Each structure stands twice: as C-alpha cells, then as structure tokens.
Amino acid sequence: MSHTSHTAHASRTSRTSHRTRRPALLAATCVTAVGLGLGLAAAVPVAAAGQSGSGSGAGSGSTGRQYDAKEVRHFLKGFYGNHGPSAWEREHLVTEELKEKAAQTPEYDLLLCAQNTPRAIDIGPVTTAQSAGVGWAPVTTHWGEGQGTQVFTAYVGLDASKPMKLMDISCEAPNG
C-alpha cells in the first residue's frame, strides 16, 4: 500500500470510528437532557412546557442555539415597555396558545394580570432552563400611590431558530 493510499485509508477509518461514536454520544446526551428537562419542566406551567410549532420553544427543527438570559430580558423589557404591550406586540409576539388562554378572560388582561393599565413596569432577573427550552422572569407592575405593586411571572421560549414570543403567564407571585 502506498503512503498516499495508507493515509487516505487511515483518514477514512478515523472518520468512520468517529461517526460510529456519535449516535451513542447523542443518545446519552439526549437522555441526560430529557431527564433534566423533565425535572425543570415540572416547575414550569404546562402551557410553557408543552410547546407547539407556533410558539417559541425547544422543538423539532431547532438549530440548537438558544436565547440567553440577557436576550430574554431585552425581549420582556421591550414587550412590556412602561405600561404594557401594544396591540401589535399582543398580535405578533405572543404564542397562539397564550392568545387563546387570554381570550378566555375578556374582563381581565391576562398579559398584565390586571384589569387596568399600570403606571410603570419592571422586569426582574431572568432565569433560563436551557434543557426545558424556557426562560422566565418576575414582572412587577406599579399602580400608583396607595395602590402598591403586583408581581407575576412571564415565560418565553428559548429556541433561537424561531422568533422569541411570550408563551405563558403565571399571575401568582413567584415563590408564593
């Protein structure tokens, strides 16, 4: 066997053995991710964990890149602004599932967990569960003198192959 053909054969052999290890490595990684994801998903509302193609979460077709906490915070600050989401944001930056859920409470603005427009809105620290494909943050609404504040949690999908969207709201205060 010549040096050139020996080198080519060794290169093919190396690539072949590398390829045969990939499925085992991928399977082990998936099992680990699923195990972690199930544990974390238990802490996330059902609508946030069960994502569909119209939402923005980890699903089939994912590129693997996920939005990070800084990007989620930027999205939520832009989405909520100072007084709540605009009509355009409500139409284009909310998953279909959350729109349907919000439509079931016409007397109550589910995206703000309120009936009125707040005077100011603050976004708290963002938490991301990469294995579950979900990020969330406390949202504090300020209502003016004597009316205090209210805190709720907003959930966002992390799959960066899709536009970021608000995917669920929990009107209960975080940790309580």
Side-chain angles (χ1 to χ4, degrees):
M1 188 181 295
S2 73
H3 176 70
T4 307
S5 64
H6 177 72
T7 304
H9 176 71
S11 177
R12 277 193 304 272
T13 304
S14 173
R15 279 187 295 214
T16 303
S17 67
H18 181 68
R19 283 188 193 131
T20 58
R21 288 188 302 232
R22 280 188 188 161
L25 178 60
L26 179 60
T29 303
C30 289
V31 168
T32 302
V34 168
L36 289 172
L38 291 175
L40 291 170
V44 178
V46 172
Q51 303 157 24
S52 74
S54 64
S56 174
S60 63
S62 171
T63 61
R65 177 174 146 19
Q66 293 188 332
Y67 294 112
D68 62 24
K70 184 177 178 181
E71 291 168 308
V72 171
R73 182 173 173 75
H74 180 76
F75 171 81
L76 289 172
K77 286 179 78 91
F79 181 85
Y80 280 105
N82 293 323
H83 305 290
S86 68
W88 186 91
E89 289 158 333
R90 290 169 184 272
E91 178 62 27
H92 298 284
L93 301 178
V94 176
T95 64
E96 292 302 316
E97 295 84 1
L98 184 54
K99 286 180 197 176
E100 290 172 16
K101 187 175 171 182
Q104 296 173 9
T105 60
E107 71 288 342
Y108 183 77
D109 186 347
L110 182 65
L111 301 185
L112 289 168
C113 295
Q115 292 179 327
N116 304 318
T117 302
R119 287 192 152 180
I121 299 176
D122 292 319
I123 306 300
V126 172
T127 302
T128 60
Q130 298 289 325
S131 61
V134 179
W136 62 90
V139 178
T140 304
T141 50
H142 302 271
W143 298 98
E145 295 201 28
Q147 295 180 348
T149 62
Q150 180 181 351
V151 180
F152 61 92
T153 305
Y155 296 87
V156 175
L158 300 180
D159 183 353
S161 71
K162 301 173 186 173
M164 193 179 302
K165 290 188 177 186
L166 188 68
M167 59 189 292
D168 206 356
I169 297 291
S170 173
C171 292
E172 294 181 23
N175 301 323

